[in-house]
Amino acid sequence: MKKTLRCAFVLFLAMLVTFMTACGGNDTGGTPKSSTSGATAVNGNETPSGEQASDKIDYSKKFDNPVTISYYVGQSRFKEAMRTIAKKIKEQHNIEVDFQITPDAQGGNVLKSKLAVGEIPDIVDINTPIDFSEYPTDNYWLELSDQPWVQRLNLDKRLLSDKDDGSIYAMPYLGLTIIEAAWYNVDTLQKIGGKEPETYEEFLDLCELCKKHGIAALAMSNKDLWTAQQIPIFAYWPMALYPNELETYDKILKNERTFSDSKEFIQVLTDYRLLFANGYVNKDFATATYDMAKEYVATGKALMMYNGPWALNDIVAKWPNVKMDSFPIPYAGQKRVAVDPATQGMVISKDSENLEAVLIWINAYSQPENMNLYFDENPNTTPFIDVKSEKLHPAYQKLFDEYYNKDLVAYDMNSPLGIAQQVQSDVQWPLFAELALGTKTPEQVLAEYDAKYADFMKEMKMPGF
Amino acid sequence: MRRNNRDLYPYYMVLPAVIIMAVFFVLPVVASFFFAFTDWNISRIFDIEFVGLKNFLYIFNDEPFNVAIVNTFVFAVASTVLKTLIGLLLALALVRPLRMRSFLRTVFYMPAVLSMIVVGLVFISIFQMNGLLNQILEFLKFPVTDTIWLGSRKMAMGAIIFTDTWKWAGFNMAIFIAGLQGIDVTYYEAATIDGASKWTQFRNITFPLLMPALTTNFTLNVIGGLKVFDQVFIMTSGGPGYSTQVLSTYIYSEYAKGLLGRATAIGLILFLIVMAIALPSNHFLRKREVEV
């Protein structure tokens, strides 16, 4: 008995020492490895390094044996059309895709964990260039500047990298995506006798009109906390700061000013709170989900919701008979659309074990005959000159024609302050939810956010903090 | 010479379990004693610096932590009392020779085997403004029909406690039934002959002899209550705002920011709280168990 106990104790100590040694100050870090499932080496061919990729790759190649690559994507971004495209590419090239679909709320956390331990999927679906501040190109991603589809791009290349040297690290599958506006139900607006507002006062009058008719002016869905930021961060603050919004964000990034310093932000949060206090939103805003908000707009229980074009696309896809239109909320004397210069794209792990297959796959994905399958179901702006989205919804096209193309835009803070995304989602959004409930004042919200933001930036060892 | 039963199985047969327990539980706990005092960050996962008590100083000055501590204790106490009480009442009712006893035991135990995600999603729907609960209350002419249970700072925690109780009362019932079935019926016969009332029999026979089951249930409920995560995360994510934040969701929010050292520090605090409450209470209850 004593001998066995001694052996067990020694074994335990050995494991403890091994564990602590492994977690000791190892500056070199681990070696990232791709995470693939069932991937096989390409039929005796060498998997090329990134620098030689386009020289050695036959982009029309069909593999003799199936090659499986992994694609990491958030739940709301995954569309069935992607599966259709993957099936088609499988027939063309014998490349299978293991879609690793994660819930939106946890997607970032799971990805960070995977990156930290070196289990990197072959392809990762990200917001570019915002997400490069969290997942830098130098650490993880393959440069794609020499890929054949680059010549066909119809997008500012700076959106596809975190560098200023013209290099590209992401293949976009959408054009410029983040243009936000209020998407409203045309029939509901006609029923209450309202019209698109030209000023903020008219907007509030419209909200009051909705209230008189017993419907919510704005469908809010604070159960899905990411939607709580839409109005203050997109609809209000950029307009209030215009034309100095980018300069303001830059100063905040460098700790030259705080959120509380911005009297505009205090006014923004005050006006945001009034939307709830005056009963202009659905009563169950604290527990309603994003899907419920879309339903409220589609079924006439609410007039409008403020969000990106994905909300519009989802509504018209599920309720094709609903007539939708849009307007930017005129705020602080500005009638502009809020823009986040970003898109959605695919980045490739530079340590992927199936680099050849991955590069062939994304090149195939970018071809018009495949991308059109996506845009037929999900109309949006396209990233390539030879890919047309014929079915861009008029409400969305209107924002380009009447605002974006006329440079009537203002920029939100998400991309400029991309490094602080995590503290936004875990601190800012719940604080907005508290503000909506009336349990915190705008000043309290900003003071608390400033403290948490500064603490986070200090932990991240950002200069100036 | 007759071998002792203990000698039938050599001690090394427990080694696999010991190794698994050590690797997946003991080692992480021991490691947390170290990482809690560092600036361990997901973006610098192998570049760790010792920072002393900095993490703890931040935590104890952070308002959400204070909210989380209070909520954690409220949840643990309320859910423990409700689960134990309701479990006991169900057990007392279903230990009798009823015709549908087996069926009813199954029905009440069933929620315990359901996934918490499923239960959480179902109850989110029930607690919606136009959900089942408000419709029932409206049918019964109650005045609270407009309440958004999970959107109300005062009601949200209550709704979560209710859900947790619904899920686990049956499990408590099962343990109590096992305890009740272990009580010799001759005690009750003797008490009945002596003219003892039902309440007297319960107080002097059932309750003392049920102490082992009560100890088990109480300890499991308290530990589970202090460590609660699933129910809160699924139903409210700690909201509205921070009003239902508990220690486990607070740990998760720090982990989500990549601040692994701080998250570990909170985990260490939770571990110490659980040990400080569970061990003495378990010891206290065990001393009151009656042996026959």
Side-chain angles (χ1 to χ4, degrees):
Chain A
M1 159 74 165
K2 276 190 184 168
K3 192 180 169 188
T4 310
L5 277 176
R6 263 202 297 266
C7 286
F9 184 66
V10 167
L11 187 62
F12 172 76
L13 269 182
M15 282 192 299
L16 182 64
V17 167
T18 310
F19 184 84
M20 299 302 278
T21 308
C23 295
N26 179 0
D27 289 334
T28 59
T31 307
K33 282 195 312 194
S34 284
S35 156
T36 58
S37 55
T40 56
V42 176
N43 218 17
N45 286 352
E46 244 179 60
T47 302
S49 70
E51 292 79 13
Q52 305 156 341
S54 60
D55 293 339
K56 283 196 174 180
I57 293 177
D58 173 9
Y59 290 91
S60 62
K61 178 177 179 176
K62 184 169 183 173
F63 291 91
D64 295 331
N65 298 314
V67 177
T68 303
I69 60 176
S70 53
Y71 186 137
Y72 183 93
V73 60
Q75 192 170 27
S76 66
R77 299 151 74 97
F78 178 77
K79 309 293 180 194
E80 276 309 311
M82 288 173 156
R83 222 188 280 279
T84 310
I85 296 171
K87 214 167 150 185
K88 206 165 160 224
I89 297 175
K90 188 188 166 187
E91 288 164 15
Q92 293 165 347
H93 299 282
N94 210 7
I95 302 171
E96 290 178 347
V97 177
D98 168 28
F99 285 107
Q100 298 174 1
I101 304 168
T102 56
D104 295 322
Q106 281 83 50
N109 300 335
V110 172
L111 180 60
K112 268 189 274 190
S113 301
K114 281 181 176 274
L115 294 176
V117 300
E119 283 183 14
I120 309 173
D122 295 307
I123 304 173
V124 178
D125 192 306
I126 63 166
N127 285 330
T128 166
I130 308 172
D131 286 351
F132 287 136
S133 53
E134 275 198 274
Y135 324 121
T137 55
D138 283 342
N139 292 11
Y140 305 112
W141 313 123
L142 183 71
E143 186 181 343
L144 302 172
S145 306
D146 61 349
Q147 291 303 297
W149 45 263
V150 170
Q151 311 307 320
R152 300 162 41 230
L153 279 172
N154 185 25
L155 205 62
D156 188 340
K157 289 177 185 171
R158 288 175 298 178
L159 294 181
L160 307 174
S161 176
D162 57 358
K163 300 181 180 0
D164 289 328
D165 58 4
S167 55
I168 290 174
Y169 284 83
M171 189 201 82
Y173 62 85
L174 293 178
L176 188 70
T177 52
I178 307 183
I179 299 180
E180 304 228 342
W183 313 100
Y184 70 89
N185 186 323
V186 172
D187 289 337
T188 307
L189 186 69
Q190 282 172 359
K191 199 166 119 187
I192 63 172
K195 64 177 179 66
E196 287 186 18
E198 296 295 324
T199 65
Y200 192 64
E201 289 66 36
E202 287 183 16
F203 172 72
L204 293 177
D205 289 340
L206 179 60
C207 293
E208 199 58 49
L209 187 63
C210 290
K211 191 177 168 187
K212 276 195 187 123
H213 282 83
I215 63 169
L218 280 155
M220 296 295 293
S221 50
N222 287 359
K223 176 77 171 70
D224 288 317
L225 271 176
W226 66 274
T227 63
Q229 58 156 340
Q230 300 296 331
I231 288 181
I233 295 299
F234 282 87
Y236 286 4
W237 203 26
M239 311 305 157
L241 290 173
Y242 183 84
N244 302 316
E245 67 276 25
L246 290 174
E247 186 191 321
T248 306
Y249 305 145
D250 192 53
K251 284 186 176 173
I252 292 174
L253 191 65
K254 293 173 181 164
N255 203 20
E256 290 169 11
R257 67 180 292 184
T258 65
F259 291 95
S260 302
D261 288 340
S262 168
K263 61 179 185 328
E264 296 92 347
F265 210 172
I266 296 174
Q267 186 59 50
V268 158
L269 295 186
T270 306
D271 290 333
Y272 179 64
R273 165 66 193 141
L274 285 172
L275 294 174
F276 297 87
N278 291 340
Y280 296 155
V281 308
N282 43 309
K283 279 189 197 166
D284 60 348
F285 65 87
T287 54
T289 61
Y290 172 55
D291 285 337
M292 288 166 69
K294 286 181 282 186
E295 188 192 338
Y296 290 165
V297 173
T299 57
K301 290 178 191 157
L303 172 65
M304 58 187 152
M305 65 187 295
Y306 190 91
N307 214 301
W310 43 83
L312 170 72
N313 286 339
D314 288 346
I315 290 173
V316 299
K318 199 167 173 189
W319 293 274
N321 295 328
V322 169
K323 280 184 268 179
M324 298 290 295
D325 206 337
S326 65
F327 61 81
I329 297 179
Y331 185 78
Q334 300 294 334
K335 200 172 176 206
R336 297 169 173 270
V337 286
V339 166
D340 200 356
T343 185
Q344 288 170 211
M346 304 175 195
V347 287
I348 314 302
S349 165
K350 60 183 180 182
D351 296 309
S352 169
E353 289 172 359
N354 296 293
L355 217 44
E356 185 184 11
V358 169
L359 291 172
I360 291 172
W361 193 86
I362 66 164
N363 182 61
Y365 192 104
S366 77
Q367 301 307 313
E369 66 267 22
N370 289 324
M371 282 215 131
N372 284 334
L373 293 174
Y374 181 93
F375 289 110
D376 283 346
E377 283 182 24
N378 307 283
N380 213 316
T381 55
T382 77
F384 295 106
I385 49 181
D386 52 355
V387 177
K388 307 286 177 210
S389 180
E390 304 295 339
K391 297 182 188 173
L392 201 61
H393 195 280
Y396 191 27
Q397 186 65 51
K398 172 182 166 184
L399 298 180
F400 282 95
D401 295 339
E402 294 182 24
Y403 297 95
Y404 186 76
N405 293 340
K406 293 180 182 174
D407 205 25
L408 290 170
V409 301
Y411 293 97
D412 81 290
M413 63 177 251
N414 279 351
S415 281
L417 289 170
I419 186 69
Q421 266 196 84
Q422 201 53 60
V423 74
Q424 268 174 250
S425 58
D426 285 323
V427 177
Q428 188 190 72
W429 301 348
L431 285 172
F432 287 162
E434 294 251 3
L435 178 69
L437 287 166
T439 50
K440 282 192 155 65
T441 65
E443 289 80 4
Q444 287 171 329
V445 164
L446 291 178
E448 191 170 329
Y449 187 56
D450 270 329
K452 291 278 169 76
Y453 170 77
D455 170 71
F456 177 80
M457 297 296 266
K458 207 169 153 190
E459 288 288 330
M460 298 301 286
K461 302 195 174 173
M462 295 301 291
F465 288 88
Chain B
M1 186 156 67
R2 188 163 164 256
R3 283 181 79 185
N4 192 324
N5 274 345
R6 282 170 26 172
D7 297 333
L8 284 175
Y9 302 100
Y11 283 101
Y12 61 73
M13 291 187 82
V14 303
L15 262 182
V18 167
I19 289 171
I20 291 171
M21 177 82 170
V23 168
F24 292 106
F25 178 72
V26 177
L27 275 178
V29 170
V30 170
S32 72
F33 280 90
F34 166 71
F35 287 119
F37 297 90
T38 69
D39 69 345
W40 195 25
N41 191 303
I42 204 163
S43 61
R44 307 184 300 273
I45 204 154
F46 297 111
D47 179 16
I48 303 168
E49 280 179 23
F50 180 75
V51 295
L53 293 174
K54 185 180 162 200
N55 289 333
F56 295 94
L57 288 171
Y58 176 89
I59 290 162
F60 287 120
N61 284 310
D62 194 26
E63 192 202 326
F65 173 74
N66 298 328
V67 172
I69 274 270
V70 169
N71 284 342
T72 302
F73 277 106
V74 164
F75 181 91
V77 168
S79 65
T80 298
V81 167
L82 287 171
K83 282 186 289 196
T84 308
L85 196 60
I86 294 172
L88 179 59
L89 291 172
L90 285 172
L92 289 170
L94 295 181
V95 81
R96 293 155 169 241
L98 303 170
R99 258 178 100 179
M100 293 182 66
R101 183 173 69 176
S102 295
F103 171 74
L104 288 172
R105 284 181 186 180
T106 307
V107 163
F108 285 112
Y109 186 76
M110 193 71 82
V113 305
L114 294 175
S115 156
M116 191 61 227
I117 294 174
V118 170
V119 170
L121 291 174
V122 167
F123 274 88
I124 286 171
S125 171
I126 289 172
F127 286 125
Q128 285 289 353
M129 192 168 69
N130 299 319
L132 183 63
L133 179 61
N134 278 348
Q135 288 184 30
I136 291 173
L137 293 174
E138 192 180 349
F139 178 75
L140 296 173
K141 310 275 189 244
F142 274 85
V144 290
T145 57
D146 235 6
T147 305
I148 304 161
W149 302 93
L150 294 174
S152 160
R153 294 173 65 84
K154 290 180 188 161
M155 300 290 188
M157 185 51 87
I160 297 171
I161 292 169
F162 176 89
T163 307
D164 187 65
T165 303
W166 178 88
K167 186 175 183 337
W168 292 110
F171 179 84
N172 282 249
M173 172 201 74
I175 294 179
F176 278 131
I177 286 175
L180 287 168
Q181 286 175 339
I183 299 174
D184 194 338
V185 295
T186 55
Y187 293 133
Y188 295 107
E189 287 167 4
T192 306
I193 290 168
D194 289 343
S197 66
K198 291 288 180 199
W199 170 247
T200 307
Q201 287 179 33
F202 175 81
R203 203 160 54 96
N204 294 297
I205 300 172
T206 309
F207 192 74
L209 293 174
L210 202 55
M211 279 307 286
L214 182 68
T215 303
T216 303
N217 274 334
F218 183 85
T219 306
L220 288 174
N221 289 336
V222 160
I223 293 174
L226 290 170
K227 286 168 42 190
V228 64
F229 176 77
D230 306 16
Q231 299 87 315
V232 175
F233 190 75
I234 290 159
M235 295 181 76
T236 60
S237 303
Y242 292 119
S243 58
T244 58
Q245 180 94 288
V246 292
L247 283 175
S248 296
T249 54
Y250 186 55
I251 292 169
Y252 182 78
S253 75
E254 294 303 306
Y255 151 75
K257 282 186 239 168
L259 306 176
L260 304 182
R262 193 177 291 167
T264 309
I266 305 163
L268 182 58
I269 293 171
L270 178 59
F271 169 76
L272 293 173
I273 290 173
V274 171
M275 294 294 280
I277 292 173
L279 287 180
S281 58
N282 190 259
H283 178 72
F284 174 81
L285 289 170
R286 284 210 173 275
K287 283 184 98 169
R288 273 147 186 77
E289 288 174 15
V290 173
E291 288 198 17
V292 285

